[in-house]
């Protein structure tokens, strides 16, 4: 269960407090929806072409993202618009938060391809929660000047070239964007059942 949302942050007049508040509130809403995610919802495919998480040998024509038995099917084209499963969306959010944490606050050795993914909803949600919590805790410990440091994150060329606050905002957008997709898929699954 995630930490309760810190409502006092809404009274702190700084840009980073607002960014942290956005992340904390967005995660509170999404994690509440993920708390009872079933394996059936996790793997439900809105179409037969939906990207998902599979055992490595079943990745098909897609590249594999992940280091273990379970991998996310990863398209070659960066703007692939095909449908995705909740499993894929959770895997993508997990690798995003993991990689940014690793290359900002960690040992700067592992990348997105090194992430461990899971073949069930419970473990996948727990792993996503771990990395979102680590990210939130680490950015909460930064002062306002550190947030403006260019290159604090070295995860990507873009991260290395911009003030760290922009990286945080981009991860907030990822969580909000993909979180809304997850919740929509949950709603669609409920209607299809």
């Amino acid at each position: 269960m995630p930490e309760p949302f810190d409502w006092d942050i809404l009274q702190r007049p700084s840009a980073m407090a607002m960014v942290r508040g956005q992340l904390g509130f967005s995660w509170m809403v999404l994690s509440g929806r993920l708390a009872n995610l079933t394996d059936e919802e996790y793997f439900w495919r809105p179409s037969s072409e939906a990207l998902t998480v599979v055992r490595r040998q079943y990745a098909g024509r897609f590249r594999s993202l992940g280091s273990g038995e379970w991998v996310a099917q990863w398209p070659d084209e960066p703007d692939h618009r095909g449908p995705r499963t909740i499993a894929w969306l959770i895997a993508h959010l997990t690798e995003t938060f993991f990689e940014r944490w690793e290359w900002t606050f960690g040992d700067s050795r592992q990348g997105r391809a090194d992430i461990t993914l899971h073949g069930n909803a419970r473990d996948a949600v727990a792993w996503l929660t771990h990395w979102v919590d680590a990210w939130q805790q680490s950015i909460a410990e930064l002062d306002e000047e550190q947030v403006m440091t260019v290159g604090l994150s070295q995860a990507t060329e873009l991260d290395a070239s911009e003030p760290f606050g922009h990286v945080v905002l981009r991860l907030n957008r990822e969580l909000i964007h993909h979180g809304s997709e997850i919740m929509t898929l949950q709603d669609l699954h409920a209607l299809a059942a």
Side-chain angles (χ1 to χ4, degrees), residues 34-146:
L34 294 176
N36 297 312
L37 183 70
T38 66
D39 287 348
E40 185 180 329
E41 289 173 299
Y42 181 67
F43 282 118
W44 181 68
R45 295 177 96 145
S47 87
S48 61
E49 296 297 313
L51 297 173
T52 192
V53 171
V54 295
R55 291 185 195 280
R56 182 173 297 281
Q57 66 265 30
Y58 300 115
R61 62 185 170 91
F62 299 104
R63 292 180 293 138
S64 300
L65 177 81
S67 63
E69 175 184 6
W70 291 92
V71 297
Q73 296 173 314
W74 206 261
D76 289 325
E77 55 284 357
D79 60 347
H80 178 76
R81 298 197 183 277
R84 299 168 282 221
T85 64
I86 292 174
W88 190 93
L89 292 163
I90 289 174
H92 174 53
L93 285 171
T94 302
E95 60 87 6
T96 299
F97 280 93
F98 159 74
E99 185 178 53
R100 287 322 189 293
W101 185 90
E102 171 71 12
W103 285 85
T104 308
F105 306 107
D107 294 334
S108 302
R109 290 182 303 167
Q110 296 185 308
R112 64 196 308 189
D114 300 309
I115 191 73
T116 300
L117 301 178
H118 300 280
N120 66 74
R122 185 194 73 235
D123 291 340
V125 169
W127 200 222
L128 173 59
T129 300
H130 170 80
W131 290 111
V132 172
D133 288 350
W135 178 254
Q136 285 188 102
Q137 180 180 354
S138 295
I139 65 170
E141 294 170 1
L142 297 176
D143 62 38
E144 294 288 325
E145 287 182 23
Q146 289 172 301

Side-chain angles (χ1 to χ4, degrees), residues 1-5 7 21-36 132 136 175-176 179-180 182-184 186:
M1 192 72 166
E3 299 270 328
F5 181 69
W7 290 98
Q22 180 186 54
L23 173 60
F25 187 81
S26 300
W27 177 240
M28 179 188 73
V29 171
L30 178 57
S31 63
R33 288 287 296 265
L34 294 176
N36 297 312
V132 172
Q136 285 188 102
L175 184 71
I176 293 165
S180 66
I182 289 168
M183 291 186 283
T184 299
Q186 285 180 303

